[in-house]
Amino acid sequence: MNPRLMAVSGSLRGTIRYLIDDHISIGRSESNHFQLNDGAVSRQHCTIRQADGFYELTDLDSHNGTFVNGIPVRRKALQHGDAIRVGRSELLFLVDEEDSSSDETVLLSNEPSVAKMETIRFDQPGSSTTTGIEVGRMARDLAALFRISDIVNSIRDLNVLQRELLRLILEVVPGENGATVLLTDLDEEPGSVCHWSRQSGHQRPIMIQRDIVHRALWERATILANAPLASPAAVNVLCVPMVATEKTVGVIYVTSPATAAAFSEDHIHFLNSVSRIAAVTIENRLALASLSQENQQLKEQIHTSSIVGESRQIRQLEDFISRVAQGDSAVLIRGESGTGKELVARAIHHRSRRAALPFIALNCAAIPETLLESELFGHEKGAFTGAASTKKGKLEAAEDGTLFFDEIGELAPLLQAKLLRVLQQREFERLGGTRALKFEARVLAATNKNLEQAIKAGEFRQDLYYRLNVVSVTVPPLRERHDDIPLLALYFAARYAAKSKRPFKGISREARQLLMNYSWPGNVRELENAIEHAIVLGLTEEILPEDLPVAILEEQSTELEDALYHDALNHTKKELILNALREAAGSYPDAARSLGIHPKYLHRLVRNLKLKPELQRLG
């Protein structure tokens, strides 16, 4: 393993730092291994250390938080490819060896070439007269170009595509070795190299001269370097840039021994034509690969880390999701409104074998009963007034994916019976249809109602309950996991700040305390709304107490007033008891009689109000 951090954005973009003794510190202070000159970064922001065979990131109580794959964390076990956001910088955590498609038999040399380089451009049209030999060469070259065109349209793998191109090039151009050198995105330096040789058992390293490659790239022209015969170890080089639609993606580099015949103008023309075809194809393949990788990273960030939190309850919930995701059993997700039941359902789907298939959600409480049956089963054309065309329902749209029933407790009794039949028979019919359609999707359901009480009240079918409640989990309310409130607040603040395009540095200590002390009857949904309110109405780069909704401030004020009242009341009680005992010379029965209370109650008051030390001083 080779653990390291690479900055992909921010002030140190392109910088790589290796973990020293399996440890690296990140922050604004000069004492850090990875120093980020950014006001949004704390002096000692976070660290990465090896622990028990894995690498763990620890946030050092930073002001603005540390994000891994877009989620704020305190402690997080890192994996290869995780994106770490610190302030305005994004760092990529890499563990595996550097991925390179370079052939082991290829070496990039910084030594200057011994050959005399010549720049060749094709600005002037060639002679209008051609000989029979030239016609034959043109036919050969044209046939080779047709074959190359067929290859670029049929091969998707970039490495295989480059090798096939080189093989066909060397069928026309009398070279011994060929290579394609692709550029890196950061500094336009030669990056990955793909090589092909006429000699299948070739093991000797192929030397590619950087100065020749650089000149071809800078001048965007063909470079011909014929080595002098006095240098038997030297080679003739033909280097052609691959100029695509938007940029130069690399070069085609062909060599032959110095003792062989020099490359001719025909070879240069042919290779120039091939380079144009190859450039556009390789550019498209690279763009497609980049989009595919970005899409995969976004999916992983959205689906594998959608549940924010590190409390014991959330760890138990994550463990439950991991265990049930691989099965096909129905899952009933319970919890108060706003706790994130649909997030749990989506996490189960996206960690299952059905992740690439549809996830269809149906809110049973949001759709009128008269429309819900059509939404669920679909309908045929003419099934009822207004059915102008055939429509697929949710059961059909889910295909072999996952169908999620939100607020299943609100489902009408008639539809409960029809849904039960679908789950038992695993088939259904569209409204107005006669053909049975297979139902293969996994069913997940969520409710904030007590279904057991609903069954007793005759509001929910018991047999449907048993079909849905194969496996059950309760999502904890936010008041039971206060430790997750700062992480959730940072997550929502960063998201809405980016959406509103306003700078965001963090949440003030006073505002954090208010968020921690609030009861959150609306759970995570209410917290999200409160943070969005603060971001939209706030006037500074920090969330301050006055930016929060009035409900949060009023509850804190009420609690403060209650505390002041109880403090004043307890103080008065202490004074009355001490005066009574002083006048009774320490006699509890006499003091209790003067106060009009039972002596046992007086003893309990003295104990609860912790008056014994003061009584001892009086005695």
Side-chain angles (χ1 to χ4, degrees), residues 109-220:
S109 173
N110 293 318
E111 296 295 326
S113 173
V114 297
K116 181 180 179 181
M117 287 185 279
E118 177 185 358
T119 300
I120 300 175
R121 301 184 186 276
F122 297 96
D123 298 329
Q124 300 297 327
S127 172
S128 59
T129 61
T130 56
T131 65
I133 295 175
E134 290 172 339
V135 171
R137 289 174 179 169
M138 291 171 61
R140 177 202 63 192
D141 294 354
L142 188 60
L145 288 174
F146 278 130
R147 293 169 64 188
I148 289 173
S149 298
D150 289 338
I151 282 177
V152 299
N153 291 322
S154 60
I155 299 177
R156 291 187 175 273
D157 185 88
L158 186 58
N159 286 334
V160 176
L161 172 63
Q162 292 177 84
R163 287 191 173 91
E164 284 299 304
L165 282 171
L166 293 170
R167 183 181 64 79
L168 291 176
I169 287 171
L170 292 185
E171 286 186 3
V172 176
V173 178
E176 184 176 292
N177 298 289
T180 51
V181 182
L182 303 185
L183 302 181
T184 60
D185 291 331
L186 291 178
D187 49 13
E188 293 191 351
E189 278 293 307
S192 65
V193 181
C194 186
H195 164 255
W196 194 84
S197 174
R198 290 182 182 275
Q199 303 176 22
S200 58
H202 186 83
Q203 295 297 330
R204 182 179 174 185
I206 307 303
M207 197 71 68
I208 294 179
Q209 301 293 335
R210 285 184 183 269
D211 56 346
I212 297 178
V213 172
H214 283 158
R215 182 166 171 178
L217 293 172
W218 293 335
E219 298 186 10
R220 286 198 171 191

Side-chain angles (χ1 to χ4, degrees), residues 335-354:
E336 298 177 8
S337 180
T339 52
K341 297 185 291 296
E342 184 171 345
L343 279 181
V344 174
R346 289 183 180 275
I348 292 173
H349 170 73
H350 289 291
R351 298 182 194 182
S352 71
R353 298 186 298 271
R354 304 172 185 260

Side-chain angles (χ1 to χ4, degrees), residues 3-5 17-26 31-34 44 46-51 55-56 58 60 93:
R4 60 202 181 279
L5 284 176
R17 293 283 189 275
Y18 290 85
L19 270 65
I20 301 172
D21 296 328
D22 292 324
H23 165 252
I24 193 168
S25 59
I26 305 167
S31 61
N32 292 284
H33 302 114
F34 213 117
Q44 305 294 333
C46 62
T47 63
I48 299 174
R49 294 179 182 274
Q50 187 181 31
Y55 290 91
E56 184 178 63
T58 303
L60 302 177
F93 179 71

Side-chain angles (χ1 to χ4, degrees), residues 263-495:
F263 295 115
S264 67
E265 186 176 345
D266 293 335
H267 304 142
I268 298 171
H269 274 283
F270 172 77
L271 199 56
N272 188 61
S273 300
V274 172
S275 71
R276 295 171 185 171
I277 299 173
V280 176
T281 303
I282 291 174
E283 182 184 44
N284 291 337
R285 293 289 191 277
L286 291 172
L288 184 62
S290 177
L291 287 173
S292 177
Q293 183 179 7
E294 182 179 355
N295 185 43
Q296 183 62 31
Q297 289 175 351
L298 288 173
K299 282 184 176 180
E300 290 176 356
Q301 291 177 18
I302 293 170
H303 301 316
T304 63
S305 303
S306 57
I307 300 176
V308 178
E310 297 176 0
S311 62
R312 175 180 55 82
Q313 295 91 332
I314 291 299
R315 291 198 301 270
Q316 292 175 347
L317 184 61
E318 291 274 7
D319 181 61
F320 172 85
I321 292 170
S322 299
R323 284 187 283 117
V324 303
Q326 300 308 313
D328 294 318
S329 302
V331 180
L332 181 62
I333 306 168
R334 301 171 181 263
E336 298 177 8
S337 180
T339 52
K341 297 185 291 296
E342 184 171 345
L343 279 181
V344 174
R346 289 183 180 275
I348 292 173
H349 170 73
H350 289 291
R351 298 182 194 182
S352 71
R353 298 186 298 271
R354 304 172 185 260
L357 300 171
F359 176 90
I360 303 297
L362 178 67
N363 191 324
C364 302
I367 303 175
E369 184 179 341
T370 53
L371 300 177
L372 189 57
E373 187 172 6
S374 174
E375 282 292 318
L376 186 58
F377 294 94
H379 60 254
E380 297 287 353
K381 181 179 179 181
F384 50 84
T385 303
S389 61
T390 299
K391 175 189 174 183
K392 286 185 178 182
K394 302 293 187 183
L395 293 171
E396 191 173 354
E399 300 176 359
D400 293 345
T402 301
L403 181 58
F404 172 59
F405 291 92
D406 197 9
E407 305 298 346
I408 189 67
E410 305 298 330
L411 194 64
L414 179 61
L415 286 177
Q416 290 180 30
K418 293 187 175 184
L419 178 59
L420 175 64
R421 181 183 179 279
V422 172
L423 298 181
Q424 289 176 334
Q425 305 297 327
R426 305 301 293 184
E427 64 180 23
F428 65 96
E429 297 172 359
R430 297 193 191 117
L431 295 182
T434 57
R435 182 167 61 93
L437 302 173
K438 289 291 184 182
F439 177 65
E440 302 290 348
R442 183 182 190 178
V443 173
L444 307 177
T447 182
N448 61 2
K449 292 181 67 174
N450 187 323
L451 292 185
E452 289 80 6
Q453 290 184 1
I455 291 171
K456 291 178 181 179
E459 299 173 354
F460 200 82
R461 294 182 64 103
Q462 188 174 32
D463 43 9
L464 177 59
Y465 169 78
Y466 289 134
R467 282 286 178 182
L468 296 173
N469 192 34
V470 177
V471 183
S472 177
V473 65
T474 300
V475 184
L478 189 56
R479 62 180 174 274
E480 293 181 5
R481 52 187 186 102
H482 268 67
D483 291 347
D484 293 331
I485 291 175
L487 296 178
L488 284 162
L490 276 174
Y491 172 75
F492 292 132
R495 191 170 78 180

